[in-house]
Amino acid sequence: MGGKCPHRKVKKRRYSHKTFRRSKFQLKGDDAVYEELQKPDDEKKSLPVDEDLPGMGQYYCLHCDRYFASVSVRDEHFKTKRHRKRVKQMMGSAPHTQLDADLAAGMGMPDNGPKLMSM
């Protein structure tokens, strides 16, 4: 008794509900959030009312790219360690961009150094 079922050859794959939940709410990348934060205040627009978002889309954390159901929930989020780390990260130097990734992979312009002698 026990052991594997003899007629089942492929193990059934079960996906975690957490993985599905994370992929449901796609967040902006660090570079997009950093660019949003660098905009002057007059370019920032007010949040439109959206019934599909929590709290009708009115309670938003720009650093973490998250919507909240109420002001109190958003204010509690501002006190969390995750939010404070994110604010510190966004106030630092600019995050990596696609250009940085291309240069690191060797796909950008070659840098052969200065010419020492021309012939």
Side-chain angles (χ1 to χ4, degrees), residues 19-50:
T19 307
F20 171 74
R21 187 92 174 137
R22 275 189 221 115
S23 64
K24 184 177 180 182
F25 302 107
Q26 291 294 324
L27 301 177
K28 291 181 189 174
D30 291 347
D31 53 341
V33 172
Y34 186 80
E35 288 172 7
E36 250 336 280
L37 287 170
Q38 298 306 316
K39 287 183 181 177
D41 290 336
D42 56 341
E43 279 188 32
K44 293 179 184 175
K45 53 188 173 193
S46 62
L47 296 171
V49 174
D50 188 355

Side-chain angles (χ1 to χ4, degrees), residues 2-6 8:
K4 288 186 175 181
C5 183
R8 181 181 283 177

Side-chain angles (χ1 to χ4, degrees), residues 6-106:
H7 65 272
R8 181 181 283 177
K9 300 292 182 194
V10 179
K11 182 179 177 184
K12 189 174 182 182
R13 295 190 176 141
R14 291 186 177 93
Y15 293 106
S16 171
H17 66 281
K18 291 181 181 178
T19 307
F20 171 74
R21 187 92 174 137
R22 275 189 221 115
S23 64
K24 184 177 180 182
F25 302 107
Q26 291 294 324
L27 301 177
K28 291 181 189 174
D30 291 347
D31 53 341
V33 172
Y34 186 80
E35 288 172 7
E36 250 336 280
L37 287 170
Q38 298 306 316
K39 287 183 181 177
D41 290 336
D42 56 341
E43 279 188 32
K44 293 179 184 175
K45 53 188 173 193
S46 62
L47 296 171
V49 174
D50 188 355
E51 294 179 6
D52 296 332
L53 295 172
M56 303 289 279
Q58 297 303 301
Y59 311 109
Y60 180 67
C61 174
L62 184 61
H63 297 92
C64 302
D65 189 37
R66 288 187 61 190
Y67 289 93
F68 298 96
S70 66
V71 177
S72 60
V73 177
R74 186 188 63 189
D75 292 341
E76 283 296 316
H77 163 76
F78 287 156
K79 297 175 187 174
T80 61
K81 188 175 186 178
R82 177 182 285 176
H83 174 77
R84 285 184 276 144
K85 276 186 170 183
R86 186 76 172 175
V87 169
K88 187 176 180 181
Q89 178 186 7
M90 289 297 133
M91 291 302 154
S93 60
H96 297 292
T97 61
Q98 186 62 40
L99 177 63
D100 296 336
D102 289 344
L103 291 174

